[in-house]
Amino acid sequence: MSMPDSRRPRPLLVIYTGGTLGMQETPRGLAPGGNIEARLARALKGLPGGTLAELPAYELLSLSNPIDSSAATPADWSRLAAIIAARYRDHPGIVVLHGTDTLAWSAASLAYQLQGIDRPVVLTGAMQPLEAPDSDAAGNVALALRFAANPVLQEVAIAFGGRLLRGACARKWHTRDAIAFESPNAPLLGELIAGTARHYPEHGLAPEHGLAREEEIAPRFELPDYAPLGDGGVARIALWPGISTRQLAAWLNDPRLKGALLEVWGAGNLPDDPALLEQLTRASAGGKLIVAISQCPHGTVRPGDYAAGQGLTDAGVLAGGTMTPEAALTKLVHLLAQPLEDAERRRRFLAPLVGER
């Protein structure tokens, strides 16, 4: 008697959203290509040695309207999270194939939306298309598949260039290098060593995040509609020498604005300008959620360290700690999309939800 199908290992789900990985050469340059399932299978077969035989089984879902990574919006983040939330129980792990330009943004947003996920959600992409000479595409997909098959990994992560990074702590660091992503203020979750995908569970989320469980607990997904914030609901404002109150006011006084990410200098410094601070105070008092992170990629924001930064705290601006711009802005979008009281929204921004701070 043959073994029932129910005894076979369930396949991973691979979601193709678009990106360089699936593009093909045309007379006018790279353009989105079709037939991704057959092309991906062919590329994986071309990997060295017995790599293909070691990979877990998967089934592929290709979005009917692929996401242009450079044109991605919060509505795209909502759409992708909804797909995963609807299908994750049928698969032991999820792999998302995504364009690299905004891959870190999507990963951070998915982490907030899929809080408490009890299996791996691994994003990856490529700097070169599948068929390009010496392409990194097949290798990145193979790495993502291996990590997505590891049940101990229970969070959103990025597999790229031989490394596994926390999705809410990663940034695209290079425009062309195969090791294109970094995690400036968090350790690696894993890496490829001598052909083996080594996971470092000691770097995973702590038990208070609900991911170290002895019995099954339903994930506490939060899937608000981000679309209303897509029309200027959240702004990213980087200070520069000479920024004027008028320029800051142009952003903060926009009635569509609900929150802003302010990128300040050093550990939390900004110009000694009472009028500029008054604009921040007025916006914060008016219910707009304003947070500050450092323009430095490493280290944390500590506004009280210098007198020049004390004004941020006095103005009601929240410190983002070591958060990346991607993690801070997507968290703003996530919290502002929910019907929360201002005090609760501020409390939750200051709390680590998915290891982002």
Side-chain angles (χ1 to χ4, degrees), residues 10-15 54-58 88 91-97 117-124 140-159 163-164 197-199:
R10 293 178 299 163
L12 302 175
L13 177 64
V14 175
I15 304 173
E54 299 171 355
L55 296 181
Y58 67 87
Y88 82 102
H91 306 275
I94 312 290
V95 171
V96 178
L97 308 182
I117 188 74
D118 59 358
R119 61 204 69 196
V121 176
V122 184
L123 287 81
T124 194
N140 282 343
V141 174
L143 184 69
L145 288 169
R146 287 170 165 173
F147 280 120
N150 184 347
V152 179
L153 177 65
Q154 297 182 355
E155 59 179 293
V156 177
I158 294 173
R163 303 188 298 174
L164 186 72
R198 296 285 181 87
H199 176 222

mmCIF file of all heavy atoms in Angstrom, residues 10-15 54-58 88 91-97 117-124 140-159 163-164 197-199:
data_model
loop_
_atom_site.group_PDB
_atom_site.id
_atom_site.type_symbol
_atom_site.label_atom_id
_atom_site.label_comp_id
_atom_site.label_asym_id
_atom_site.label_seq_id
_atom_site.Cartn_x
_atom_site.Cartn_y
_atom_site.Cartn_z
ATOM 1 N N ARG A 10 4.812 18.864 3.807
ATOM 2 C CA ARG A 10 4.126 19.929 3.097
ATOM 3 C C ARG A 10 5.144 20.849 2.417
ATOM 4 O O ARG A 10 6.208 21.130 2.987
ATOM 5 C CB ARG A 10 3.263 20.738 4.060
ATOM 6 C CG ARG A 10 2.084 19.983 4.639
ATOM 7 C CD ARG A 10 1.323 20.872 5.611
ATOM 8 N NE ARG A 10 2.163 21.275 6.725
ATOM 9 C CZ ARG A 10 1.876 22.296 7.541
ATOM 10 N NH1 ARG A 10 0.784 23.008 7.344
ATOM 11 N NH2 ARG A 10 2.693 22.589 8.532
ATOM 12 N N PRO A 11 4.848 21.326 1.250
ATOM 13 C CA PRO A 11 5.802 22.192 0.559
ATOM 14 C C PRO A 11 5.808 23.598 1.144
ATOM 15 O O PRO A 11 4.830 24.068 1.730
ATOM 16 C CB PRO A 11 5.273 22.213 -0.882
ATOM 17 C CG PRO A 11 3.795 22.036 -0.727
ATOM 18 C CD PRO A 11 3.637 21.081 0.446
ATOM 19 N N LEU A 12 6.945 24.265 0.991
ATOM 20 C CA LEU A 12 7.018 25.688 1.306
ATOM 21 C C LEU A 12 6.208 26.458 0.269
ATOM 22 O O LEU A 12 5.947 25.970 -0.835
ATOM 23 C CB LEU A 12 8.468 26.171 1.264
ATOM 24 C CG LEU A 12 9.473 25.478 2.189
ATOM 25 C CD1 LEU A 12 10.873 26.019 1.911
ATOM 26 C CD2 LEU A 12 9.101 25.676 3.638
ATOM 27 N N LEU A 13 5.816 27.671 0.615
ATOM 28 C CA LEU A 13 5.163 28.558 -0.341
ATOM 29 C C LEU A 13 6.157 29.621 -0.778
ATOM 30 O O LEU A 13 6.738 30.318 0.060
ATOM 31 C CB LEU A 13 3.931 29.227 0.274
ATOM 32 C CG LEU A 13 3.213 30.247 -0.621
ATOM 33 C CD1 LEU A 13 2.647 29.565 -1.864
ATOM 34 C CD2 LEU A 13 2.121 30.977 0.152
ATOM 35 N N VAL A 14 6.373 29.735 -2.076
ATOM 36 C CA VAL A 14 7.226 30.776 -2.638
ATOM 37 C C VAL A 14 6.318 31.770 -3.355
ATOM 38 O O VAL A 14 5.566 31.385 -4.258
ATOM 39 C CB VAL A 14 8.264 30.199 -3.624
ATOM 40 C CG1 VAL A 14 9.065 31.327 -4.278
ATOM 41 C CG2 VAL A 14 9.202 29.239 -2.888
ATOM 42 N N ILE A 15 6.372 33.030 -2.930
ATOM 43 C CA ILE A 15 5.544 34.081 -3.523
ATOM 44 C C ILE A 15 6.435 34.972 -4.367
ATOM 45 O O ILE A 15 7.355 35.619 -3.849
ATOM 46 C CB ILE A 15 4.836 34.915 -2.443
ATOM 47 C CG1 ILE A 15 4.014 34.019 -1.518
ATOM 48 C CG2 ILE A 15 3.945 35.980 -3.089
ATOM 49 C CD1 ILE A 15 3.420 34.757 -0.335
ATOM 50 N N GLU A 54 19.042 18.765 -2.078
ATOM 51 C CA GLU A 54 18.976 19.112 -0.661
ATOM 52 C C GLU A 54 17.884 20.135 -0.354
ATOM 53 O O GLU A 54 17.587 20.381 0.813
ATOM 54 C CB GLU A 54 20.328 19.672 -0.202
ATOM 55 C CG GLU A 54 21.478 18.692 -0.359
ATOM 56 C CD GLU A 54 22.821 19.358 -0.114
ATOM 57 O OE1 GLU A 54 22.821 20.598 0.081
ATOM 58 O OE2 GLU A 54 23.840 18.666 -0.139
ATOM 59 N N LEU A 55 17.309 20.718 -1.381
ATOM 60 C CA LEU A 55 16.340 21.783 -1.154
ATOM 61 C C LEU A 55 14.963 21.214 -0.842
ATOM 62 O O LEU A 55 14.563 20.187 -1.379
ATOM 63 C CB LEU A 55 16.256 22.686 -2.389
ATOM 64 C CG LEU A 55 17.521 23.462 -2.743
ATOM 65 C CD1 LEU A 55 17.281 24.328 -3.970
ATOM 66 C CD2 LEU A 55 17.984 24.319 -1.563
ATOM 67 N N PRO A 56 14.213 21.893 0.011
ATOM 68 C CA PRO A 56 12.849 21.441 0.325
ATOM 69 C C PRO A 56 11.909 21.675 -0.851
ATOM 70 O O PRO A 56 12.157 22.531 -1.707
ATOM 71 C CB PRO A 56 12.464 22.310 1.518
ATOM 72 C CG PRO A 56 13.283 23.551 1.363
ATOM 73 C CD PRO A 56 14.590 23.103 0.772
ATOM 74 N N ALA A 57 10.840 20.915 -0.890
ATOM 75 C CA ALA A 57 9.837 21.099 -1.930
ATOM 76 C C ALA A 57 9.112 22.422 -1.718
ATOM 77 O O ALA A 57 8.960 22.895 -0.587
ATOM 78 C CB ALA A 57 8.841 19.945 -1.897
ATOM 79 N N TYR A 58 8.651 23.013 -2.797
ATOM 80 C CA TYR A 58 7.919 24.270 -2.700
ATOM 81 C C TYR A 58 6.867 24.337 -3.804
ATOM 82 O O TYR A 58 6.941 23.637 -4.805
ATOM 83 C CB TYR A 58 8.875 25.462 -2.822
ATOM 84 C CG TYR A 58 9.513 25.619 -4.181
ATOM 85 C CD1 TYR A 58 8.880 26.347 -5.197
ATOM 86 C CD2 TYR A 58 10.754 25.039 -4.480
ATOM 87 C CE1 TYR A 58 9.464 26.499 -6.456
ATOM 88 C CE2 TYR A 58 11.338 25.178 -5.725
ATOM 89 C CZ TYR A 58 10.690 25.908 -6.709
ATOM 90 O OH TYR A 58 11.263 26.049 -7.960
ATOM 91 N N TYR A 88 -0.608 30.914 5.170
ATOM 92 C CA TYR A 88 0.563 30.403 5.896
ATOM 93 C C TYR A 88 0.316 29.071 6.585
ATOM 94 O O TYR A 88 1.234 28.253 6.732
ATOM 95 C CB TYR A 88 1.059 31.446 6.903
ATOM 96 C CG TYR A 88 0.307 31.465 8.211
ATOM 97 C CD1 TYR A 88 0.847 30.873 9.346
ATOM 98 C CD2 TYR A 88 -0.937 32.070 8.322
ATOM 99 C CE1 TYR A 88 0.169 30.892 10.554
ATOM 100 C CE2 TYR A 88 -1.622 32.092 9.516
ATOM 101 C CZ TYR A 88 -1.066 31.498 10.626
ATOM 102 O OH TYR A 88 -1.743 31.510 11.814
ATOM 103 N N HIS A 91 1.506 25.813 4.886
ATOM 104 C CA HIS A 91 2.915 25.648 4.527
ATOM 105 C C HIS A 91 3.789 25.830 5.759
ATOM 106 O O HIS A 91 3.505 26.689 6.600
ATOM 107 C CB HIS A 91 3.313 26.669 3.453
ATOM 108 C CG HIS A 91 2.429 26.637 2.244
ATOM 109 N ND1 HIS A 91 2.632 25.762 1.211
ATOM 110 C CD2 HIS A 91 1.312 27.367 1.927
ATOM 111 C CE1 HIS A 91 1.692 25.959 0.293
ATOM 112 N NE2 HIS A 91 0.885 26.914 0.702
ATOM 113 N N PRO A 92 4.862 25.050 5.867
ATOM 114 C CA PRO A 92 5.735 25.180 7.045
ATOM 115 C C PRO A 92 6.594 26.441 7.021
ATOM 116 O O PRO A 92 7.174 26.816 8.040
ATOM 117 C CB PRO A 92 6.600 23.921 6.979
ATOM 118 C CG PRO A 92 6.619 23.563 5.530
ATOM 119 C CD PRO A 92 5.266 23.944 4.990
ATOM 120 N N GLY A 93 6.699 27.087 5.875
ATOM 121 C CA GLY A 93 7.491 28.305 5.756
ATOM 122 C C GLY A 93 7.149 29.029 4.474
ATOM 123 O O GLY A 93 6.579 28.440 3.540
ATOM 124 N N ILE A 94 7.474 30.321 4.443
ATOM 125 C CA ILE A 94 7.157 31.172 3.303
ATOM 126 C C ILE A 94 8.430 31.816 2.794
ATOM 127 O O ILE A 94 9.260 32.289 3.582
ATOM 128 C CB ILE A 94 6.174 32.297 3.701
ATOM 129 C CG1 ILE A 94 4.981 31.749 4.487
ATOM 130 C CG2 ILE A 94 5.732 33.083 2.470
ATOM 131 C CD1 ILE A 94 4.024 30.931 3.714
ATOM 132 N N VAL A 95 8.591 31.860 1.481
ATOM 133 C CA VAL A 95 9.670 32.616 0.835
ATOM 134 C C VAL A 95 9.019 33.667 -0.061
ATOM 135 O O VAL A 95 8.102 33.356 -0.821
ATOM 136 C CB VAL A 95 10.594 31.708 0.002
ATOM 137 C CG1 VAL A 95 11.576 32.542 -0.829
ATOM 138 C CG2 VAL A 95 11.358 30.752 0.917
ATOM 139 N N VAL A 96 9.486 34.900 0.051
ATOM 140 C CA VAL A 96 8.979 35.989 -0.775
ATOM 141 C C VAL A 96 10.105 36.474 -1.673
ATOM 142 O O VAL A 96 11.168 36.880 -1.185
ATOM 143 C CB VAL A 96 8.462 37.160 0.085
ATOM 144 C CG1 VAL A 96 7.983 38.306 -0.804
ATOM 145 C CG2 VAL A 96 7.351 36.694 1.011
ATOM 146 N N LEU A 97 9.892 36.380 -2.991
ATOM 147 C CA LEU A 97 10.860 36.882 -3.967
ATOM 148 C C LEU A 97 10.478 38.314 -4.299
ATOM 149 O O LEU A 97 9.370 38.579 -4.778
ATOM 150 C CB LEU A 97 10.858 36.011 -5.225
ATOM 151 C CG LEU A 97 11.032 34.506 -4.986
ATOM 152 C CD1 LEU A 97 11.073 33.767 -6.322
ATOM 153 C CD2 LEU A 97 12.296 34.223 -4.184
ATOM 154 N N ILE A 117 4.269 35.374 14.282
ATOM 155 C CA ILE A 117 4.309 34.320 13.274
ATOM 156 C C ILE A 117 5.070 33.117 13.831
ATOM 157 O O ILE A 117 6.139 33.272 14.444
ATOM 158 C CB ILE A 117 4.929 34.830 11.954
ATOM 159 C CG1 ILE A 117 4.791 33.813 10.831
ATOM 160 C CG2 ILE A 117 6.379 35.239 12.137
ATOM 161 C CD1 ILE A 117 3.420 33.690 10.273
ATOM 162 N N ASP A 118 4.518 31.934 13.647
ATOM 163 C CA ASP A 118 5.097 30.730 14.245
ATOM 164 C C ASP A 118 5.875 29.889 13.250
ATOM 165 O O ASP A 118 6.067 28.697 13.449
ATOM 166 C CB ASP A 118 3.991 29.893 14.892
ATOM 167 C CG ASP A 118 2.927 29.472 13.895
ATOM 168 O OD1 ASP A 118 3.022 29.852 12.715
ATOM 169 O OD2 ASP A 118 1.986 28.750 14.311
ATOM 170 N N ARG A 119 6.317 30.519 12.178
ATOM 171 C CA ARG A 119 7.129 29.826 11.172
ATOM 172 C C ARG A 119 7.937 30.863 10.395
ATOM 173 O O ARG A 119 7.682 32.063 10.508
ATOM 174 C CB ARG A 119 6.239 29.008 10.239
ATOM 175 C CG ARG A 119 5.225 29.800 9.445
ATOM 176 C CD ARG A 119 4.050 28.911 9.039
ATOM 177 N NE ARG A 119 3.278 28.548 10.212
ATOM 178 C CZ ARG A 119 2.397 27.553 10.254
ATOM 179 N NH1 ARG A 119 2.170 26.818 9.175
ATOM 180 N NH2 ARG A 119 1.714 27.284 11.354
ATOM 181 N N PRO A 120 8.900 30.433 9.587
ATOM 182 C CA PRO A 120 9.743 31.396 8.886
ATOM 183 C C PRO A 120 9.008 32.099 7.749
ATOM 184 O O PRO A 120 8.234 31.489 7.007
ATOM 185 C CB PRO A 120 10.882 30.537 8.322
ATOM 186 C CG PRO A 120 10.789 29.213 9.001
ATOM 187 C CD PRO A 120 9.348 29.040 9.376
ATOM 188 N N VAL A 121 9.256 33.400 7.627
ATOM 189 C CA VAL A 121 8.887 34.174 6.445
ATOM 190 C C VAL A 121 10.185 34.828 5.982
ATOM 191 O O VAL A 121 10.718 35.709 6.652
ATOM 192 C CB VAL A 121 7.823 35.245 6.751
ATOM 193 C CG1 VAL A 121 7.554 36.095 5.507
ATOM 194 C CG2 VAL A 121 6.544 34.605 7.252
ATOM 195 N N VAL A 122 10.710 34.352 4.862
ATOM 196 C CA VAL A 122 12.041 34.766 4.418
ATOM 197 C C VAL A 122 11.952 35.482 3.077
ATOM 198 O O VAL A 122 11.472 34.909 2.092
ATOM 199 C CB VAL A 122 12.986 33.548 4.302
ATOM 200 C CG1 VAL A 122 14.394 34.005 3.926
ATOM 201 C CG2 VAL A 122 13.027 32.775 5.617
ATOM 202 N N LEU A 123 12.411 36.718 3.047
ATOM 203 C CA LEU A 123 12.431 37.485 1.808
ATOM 204 C C LEU A 123 13.794 37.396 1.170
ATOM 205 O O LEU A 123 14.834 37.347 1.858
ATOM 206 C CB LEU A 123 12.095 38.959 2.063
ATOM 207 C CG LEU A 123 10.634 39.294 2.381
ATOM 208 C CD1 LEU A 123 10.318 39.020 3.853
ATOM 209 C CD2 LEU A 123 10.313 40.750 2.041
ATOM 210 N N THR A 124 13.816 37.384 -0.157
ATOM 211 C CA THR A 124 15.072 37.421 -0.883
ATOM 212 C C THR A 124 14.823 38.007 -2.261
ATOM 213 O O THR A 124 13.686 38.248 -2.669
ATOM 214 C CB THR A 124 15.716 36.025 -0.982
ATOM 215 O OG1 THR A 124 17.078 36.164 -1.418
ATOM 216 C CG2 THR A 124 14.985 35.124 -1.972
ATOM 217 N N ASN A 140 20.587 32.812 -3.898
ATOM 218 C CA ASN A 140 19.790 33.476 -2.862
ATOM 219 C C ASN A 140 18.481 32.739 -2.606
ATOM 220 O O ASN A 140 18.042 32.604 -1.457
ATOM 221 C CB ASN A 140 19.504 34.921 -3.270
ATOM 222 C CG ASN A 140 20.696 35.835 -3.046
ATOM 223 O OD1 ASN A 140 21.628 35.504 -2.319
ATOM 224 N ND2 ASN A 140 20.671 36.992 -3.684
ATOM 225 N N VAL A 141 17.844 32.265 -3.668
ATOM 226 C CA VAL A 141 16.590 31.527 -3.494
ATOM 227 C C VAL A 141 16.845 30.225 -2.735
ATOM 228 O O VAL A 141 16.081 29.857 -1.833
ATOM 229 C CB VAL A 141 15.924 31.240 -4.851
ATOM 230 C CG1 VAL A 141 14.696 30.347 -4.668
ATOM 231 C CG2 VAL A 141 15.530 32.541 -5.535
ATOM 232 N N ALA A 142 17.908 29.524 -3.098
ATOM 233 C CA ALA A 142 18.232 28.276 -2.404
ATOM 234 C C ALA A 142 18.480 28.528 -0.917
ATOM 235 O O ALA A 142 18.026 27.759 -0.056
ATOM 236 C CB ALA A 142 19.456 27.627 -3.047
ATOM 237 N N LEU A 143 19.188 29.617 -0.609
ATOM 238 C CA LEU A 143 19.446 29.948 0.789
ATOM 239 C C LEU A 143 18.138 30.253 1.516
ATOM 240 O O LEU A 143 17.905 29.790 2.639
ATOM 241 C CB LEU A 143 20.382 31.156 0.868
ATOM 242 C CG LEU A 143 20.818 31.570 2.273
ATOM 243 C CD1 LEU A 143 21.739 30.510 2.875
ATOM 244 C CD2 LEU A 143 21.517 32.932 2.245
ATOM 245 N N ALA A 144 17.263 31.014 0.878
ATOM 246 C CA ALA A 144 15.979 31.345 1.490
ATOM 247 C C ALA A 144 15.142 30.090 1.728
ATOM 248 O O ALA A 144 14.491 29.952 2.772
ATOM 249 C CB ALA A 144 15.220 32.328 0.607
ATOM 250 N N LEU A 145 15.144 29.165 0.771
ATOM 251 C CA LEU A 145 14.394 27.921 0.937
ATOM 252 C C LEU A 145 14.910 27.115 2.127
ATOM 253 O O LEU A 145 14.129 26.548 2.904
ATOM 254 C CB LEU A 145 14.489 27.082 -0.340
ATOM 255 C CG LEU A 145 13.706 27.597 -1.556
ATOM 256 C CD1 LEU A 145 14.102 26.818 -2.802
ATOM 257 C CD2 LEU A 145 12.196 27.495 -1.310
ATOM 258 N N ARG A 146 16.220 27.058 2.273
ATOM 259 C CA ARG A 146 16.789 26.300 3.380
ATOM 260 C C ARG A 146 16.378 26.894 4.724
ATOM 261 O O ARG A 146 15.981 26.182 5.646
ATOM 262 C CB ARG A 146 18.305 26.263 3.252
ATOM 263 C CG ARG A 146 18.809 25.348 2.145
ATOM 264 C CD ARG A 146 20.281 25.540 1.924
ATOM 265 N NE ARG A 146 20.862 24.456 1.131
ATOM 266 C CZ ARG A 146 22.105 24.458 0.680
ATOM 267 N NH1 ARG A 146 22.895 25.484 0.932
ATOM 268 N NH2 ARG A 146 22.562 23.446 -0.032
ATOM 269 N N PHE A 147 16.490 28.215 4.851
ATOM 270 C CA PHE A 147 16.112 28.832 6.119
ATOM 271 C C PHE A 147 14.600 28.769 6.343
ATOM 272 O O PHE A 147 14.142 28.637 7.488
ATOM 273 C CB PHE A 147 16.607 30.274 6.177
ATOM 274 C CG PHE A 147 18.058 30.400 6.541
ATOM 275 C CD1 PHE A 147 18.957 31.012 5.681
ATOM 276 C CD2 PHE A 147 18.533 29.914 7.748
ATOM 277 C CE1 PHE A 147 20.297 31.134 6.016
ATOM 278 C CE2 PHE A 147 19.877 30.018 8.095
ATOM 279 C CZ PHE A 147 20.762 30.636 7.232
ATOM 280 N N ALA A 148 13.818 28.865 5.271
ATOM 281 C CA ALA A 148 12.365 28.817 5.416
ATOM 282 C C ALA A 148 11.879 27.430 5.834
ATOM 283 O O ALA A 148 10.733 27.286 6.279
ATOM 284 C CB ALA A 148 11.697 29.229 4.106
ATOM 285 N N ALA A 149 12.713 26.421 5.691
ATOM 286 C CA ALA A 149 12.353 25.068 6.107
ATOM 287 C C ALA A 149 12.737 24.781 7.556
ATOM 288 O O ALA A 149 12.482 23.683 8.056
ATOM 289 C CB ALA A 149 13.030 24.043 5.188
ATOM 290 N N ASN A 150 13.330 25.756 8.228
ATOM 291 C CA ASN A 150 13.786 25.564 9.607
ATOM 292 C C ASN A 150 12.684 26.027 10.569
ATOM 293 O O ASN A 150 12.435 27.225 10.706
ATOM 294 C CB ASN A 150 15.058 26.379 9.841
ATOM 295 C CG ASN A 150 15.644 26.162 11.231
ATOM 296 O OD1 ASN A 150 14.998 25.597 12.111
ATOM 297 N ND2 ASN A 150 16.855 26.629 11.434
ATOM 298 N N PRO A 151 12.020 25.111 11.264
ATOM 299 C CA PRO A 151 10.895 25.496 12.123
ATOM 300 C C PRO A 151 11.301 26.324 13.338
ATOM 301 O O PRO A 151 10.450 26.948 13.978
ATOM 302 C CB PRO A 151 10.297 24.150 12.546
ATOM 303 C CG PRO A 151 11.437 23.182 12.453
ATOM 304 C CD PRO A 151 12.265 23.650 11.293
ATOM 305 N N VAL A 152 12.586 26.337 13.661
ATOM 306 C CA VAL A 152 13.042 27.122 14.814
ATOM 307 C C VAL A 152 13.028 28.618 14.493
ATOM 308 O O VAL A 152 12.863 29.453 15.382
ATOM 309 C CB VAL A 152 14.457 26.676 15.244
ATOM 310 C CG1 VAL A 152 14.955 27.494 16.435
ATOM 311 C CG2 VAL A 152 14.458 25.194 15.591
ATOM 312 N N LEU A 153 13.176 28.944 13.227
ATOM 313 C CA LEU A 153 13.122 30.341 12.809
ATOM 314 C C LEU A 153 11.654 30.767 12.755
ATOM 315 O O LEU A 153 10.897 30.291 11.907
ATOM 316 C CB LEU A 153 13.787 30.515 11.439
ATOM 317 C CG LEU A 153 13.748 31.920 10.839
ATOM 318 C CD1 LEU A 153 14.551 32.899 11.686
ATOM 319 C CD2 LEU A 153 14.265 31.903 9.401
ATOM 320 N N GLN A 154 11.267 31.660 13.639
ATOM 321 C CA GLN A 154 9.861 32.058 13.731
ATOM 322 C C GLN A 154 9.753 33.585 13.706
ATOM 323 O O GLN A 154 9.341 34.222 14.672
ATOM 324 C CB GLN A 154 9.229 31.482 14.998
ATOM 325 C CG GLN A 154 9.206 29.964 15.010
ATOM 326 C CD GLN A 154 8.540 29.391 16.242
ATOM 327 O OE1 GLN A 154 8.164 30.119 17.158
ATOM 328 N NE2 GLN A 154 8.386 28.079 16.274
ATOM 329 N N GLU A 155 10.124 34.150 12.570
ATOM 330 C CA GLU A 155 10.029 35.596 12.381
ATOM 331 C C GLU A 155 10.260 35.924 10.911
ATOM 332 O O GLU A 155 10.529 35.034 10.095
ATOM 333 C CB GLU A 155 11.026 36.345 13.262
ATOM 334 C CG GLU A 155 12.497 35.989 13.021
ATOM 335 C CD GLU A 155 13.418 36.814 13.933
ATOM 336 O OE1 GLU A 155 13.482 38.047 13.724
ATOM 337 O OE2 GLU A 155 14.052 36.225 14.836
ATOM 338 N N VAL A 156 10.141 37.192 10.588
ATOM 339 C CA VAL A 156 10.384 37.662 9.227
ATOM 340 C C VAL A 156 11.863 37.981 9.090
ATOM 341 O O VAL A 156 12.435 38.708 9.913
ATOM 342 C CB VAL A 156 9.539 38.910 8.920
ATOM 343 C CG1 VAL A 156 9.853 39.431 7.517
ATOM 344 C CG2 VAL A 156 8.057 38.597 9.048
ATOM 345 N N ALA A 157 12.493 37.429 8.052
ATOM 346 C CA ALA A 157 13.932 37.596 7.877
ATOM 347 C C ALA A 157 14.249 37.823 6.400
ATOM 348 O O ALA A 157 13.403 37.643 5.521
ATOM 349 C CB ALA A 157 14.681 36.371 8.398
ATOM 350 N N ILE A 158 15.487 38.210 6.148
ATOM 351 C CA ILE A 158 15.998 38.413 4.790
ATOM 352 C C ILE A 158 17.191 37.498 4.587
ATOM 353 O O ILE A 158 18.143 37.525 5.376
ATOM 354 C CB ILE A 158 16.419 39.880 4.558
ATOM 355 C CG1 ILE A 158 15.213 40.804 4.618
ATOM 356 C CG2 ILE A 158 17.134 40.032 3.217
ATOM 357 C CD1 ILE A 158 15.573 42.288 4.564
ATOM 358 N N ALA A 159 17.143 36.666 3.550
ATOM 359 C CA ALA A 159 18.278 35.815 3.174
ATOM 360 C C ALA A 159 18.893 36.399 1.913
ATOM 361 O O ALA A 159 18.221 36.491 0.876
ATOM 362 C CB ALA A 159 17.825 34.379 2.938
ATOM 363 N N ARG A 163 23.782 35.301 3.893
ATOM 364 C CA ARG A 163 23.507 35.666 5.278
ATOM 365 C C ARG A 163 22.003 35.793 5.522
ATOM 366 O O ARG A 163 21.231 36.033 4.597
ATOM 367 C CB ARG A 163 24.204 36.988 5.623
ATOM 368 C CG ARG A 163 25.702 36.932 5.383
ATOM 369 C CD ARG A 163 26.414 38.164 5.891
ATOM 370 N NE ARG A 163 25.966 39.375 5.219
ATOM 371 C CZ ARG A 163 26.348 40.599 5.571
ATOM 372 N NH1 ARG A 163 27.167 40.757 6.595
ATOM 373 N NH2 ARG A 163 25.917 41.643 4.905
ATOM 374 N N LEU A 164 21.615 35.635 6.791
ATOM 375 C CA LEU A 164 20.227 35.782 7.205
ATOM 376 C C LEU A 164 20.147 36.927 8.200
ATOM 377 O O LEU A 164 20.836 36.930 9.226
ATOM 378 C CB LEU A 164 19.719 34.488 7.849
ATOM 379 C CG LEU A 164 18.223 34.468 8.193
ATOM 380 C CD1 LEU A 164 17.385 34.362 6.914
ATOM 381 C CD2 LEU A 164 17.900 33.299 9.132
ATOM 382 N N ALA A 197 23.414 25.990 5.758
ATOM 383 C CA ALA A 197 22.719 27.175 6.258
ATOM 384 C C ALA A 197 22.652 27.084 7.780
ATOM 385 O O ALA A 197 21.834 26.353 8.331
ATOM 386 C CB ALA A 197 21.321 27.255 5.659
ATOM 387 N N ARG A 198 23.544 27.811 8.439
ATOM 388 C CA ARG A 198 23.623 27.773 9.892
ATOM 389 C C ARG A 198 22.709 28.844 10.497
ATOM 390 O O ARG A 198 22.868 30.028 10.216
ATOM 391 C CB ARG A 198 25.061 28.018 10.346
ATOM 392 C CG ARG A 198 26.059 26.955 9.902
ATOM 393 C CD ARG A 198 25.912 25.685 10.729
ATOM 394 N NE ARG A 198 26.883 24.683 10.323
ATOM 395 C CZ ARG A 198 28.107 24.599 10.810
ATOM 396 N NH1 ARG A 198 28.521 25.473 11.714
ATOM 397 N NH2 ARG A 198 28.939 23.655 10.405
ATOM 398 N N HIS A 199 21.774 28.410 11.312
ATOM 399 C CA HIS A 199 20.876 29.331 12.006
ATOM 400 C C HIS A 199 21.401 29.560 13.413
ATOM 401 O O HIS A 199 21.880 28.631 14.061
ATOM 402 C CB HIS A 199 19.461 28.723 12.056
ATOM 403 C CG HIS A 199 18.486 29.536 12.834
ATOM 404 N ND1 HIS A 199 17.577 28.974 13.703
ATOM 405 C CD2 HIS A 199 18.282 30.875 12.880
ATOM 406 C CE1 HIS A 199 16.849 29.939 14.240
ATOM 407 N NE2 HIS A 199 17.249 31.089 13.766
#
